Amino acid sequence: MRTALVREPGSRLADGIVTHIGRSDIDLSLARGQHMAYADALASAGWEVYPAPAADDCPDAVFVEDAVVVVDDLAVLTHPGAPARRGEISGVEQAVLELGLRTAHIAEPGTLEGGDVLQVGTTVYVGRGGRTNAEGIRQLRALLAPLGRTVVPVPLGEVLHLKSAVTALPDGTFLALPHLVPTGLFPAVRPVEEEGGCHVVPLGGDRVLLAASAPRTAELLADLGYTPVVVDIGEFEKLEGCVTCLSVLVSR
């Protein structure tokens, strides 16, 4: 089972939350085209694209990663730190149940968003910042301990989510923006200069998905022996989105 859970952009996409950048105009038609191309890239890499139910009243619902954390056969439905995003959860729960996953929930007073959760082997790094709090991390740790996972909290500064600042390559090395995340918590860090360069999604084999806004990082990946799968997500980057935000990969 190699399924990529996605959610199409709704008509209110332009009203999505921006926190650490200024607001820019969003071209909805262009965004929808970019999202289709993103889904096509996943399909070309061997992932079955599975759409979550539309959530047109939730502008940020396209960033489906924040609504659920999948570990083995368990889907942990999150409790977003941004209250306006909590309406996104029910449709994603419906989708993961259709995929045959067990479910659990993060509950008040805990907050957790999937963009703060980076899984590398049996270690789960969780950013503690504006969207995820200590209680949310505690609840996630309790849910994942029976699955043999170790949860490592990571303090965040002026950055939206952990994976806005660091992600990992298939070999276990990390791509990071050193000024946004304490790199000493991660082994084998490769600092990058492009913001889009620290957002990558391993697709299996030597394929690694990344944004067109990081051409130098794409060259680095090629030099390391990977095949960069480059997608233009410029309209979503205007809302602090990245390639990790737009899908949840379920491999069983």
Side-chain angles (χ1 to χ4, degrees):
M1 177 180 178
R2 281 164 51 91
T3 303
L5 182 67
V6 300
R7 202 174 214 170
E8 293 182 358
S11 61
R12 294 185 55 208
L13 178 67
D15 297 326
I17 301 168
V18 291
T19 304
H20 298 288
I21 62 175
R23 186 171 294 279
S24 301
D25 291 338
I26 302 295
D27 184 327
L28 181 58
S29 177
L30 178 57
R32 286 175 168 162
Q34 290 177 351
H35 191 267
M36 290 178 62
Y38 176 94
D40 287 345
L42 296 176
S44 295
W47 294 86
E48 179 183 357
V49 177
Y50 192 90
D56 213 44
D57 290 338
C58 300
D60 289 294
V62 67
F63 303 120
V64 66
E65 174 191 51
D66 291 323
V68 64
V69 175
V70 176
V71 181
D72 295 340
D73 68 338
L74 177 66
V76 180
L77 283 305
T78 68
H79 188 64
R85 300 199 61 185
R86 293 174 187 170
E88 301 172 21
I89 304 302
S90 60
V92 172
E93 181 172 19
Q94 176 184 331
V96 295
L97 287 171
E98 290 170 355
L99 291 174
L101 300 176
R102 298 184 296 122
T103 60
H105 290 259
I106 301 298
E108 285 280 5
T111 63
L112 181 80
E113 294 189 5
D116 279 321
V117 181
L118 173 61
Q119 301 184 54
V120 183
T122 59
T123 302
V124 181
Y125 298 92
V126 186
R128 179 180 177 183
R131 298 293 185 87
T132 295
N133 66 16
E135 174 60 18
I137 296 173
R138 186 197 67 77
Q139 291 182 31
L140 185 67
R141 179 183 289 113
L143 290 168
L144 300 189
L147 301 178
R149 294 328 196 258
T150 300
V151 170
V152 177
V154 180
L156 300 181
E158 296 299 314
V159 65
L160 182 62
H161 290 127
L162 176 64
K163 281 188 280 191
S164 302
V166 59
T167 54
L169 292 170
D171 65 1
T173 59
F174 294 78
L175 300 177
L177 289 172
H179 65 285
L180 291 179
V181 67
T183 54
L185 293 176
F186 307 95
V189 173
R190 296 182 184 274
V192 295
E193 297 178 0
E194 299 164 312
E195 182 175 347
C198 68
H199 317 142
V200 298
V201 179
L203 296 177
D206 65 354
R207 297 187 183 188
V208 178
L209 185 74
L210 79 162
S213 59
R216 294 194 303 277
T217 306
E219 291 178 1
L220 169 64
L221 295 182
D223 290 343
L224 293 173
Y226 295 109
T227 298
V229 178
V230 179
V231 290
D232 183 357
I233 58 163
E235 295 306 293
F236 302 102
E237 290 174 327
K238 295 177 182 178
L239 295 167
E240 297 177 283
C242 54
V243 290
T244 66
C245 308
L246 294 169
S247 63
V248 177
L249 301 186
V250 181
S251 181
R252 295 173 58 195

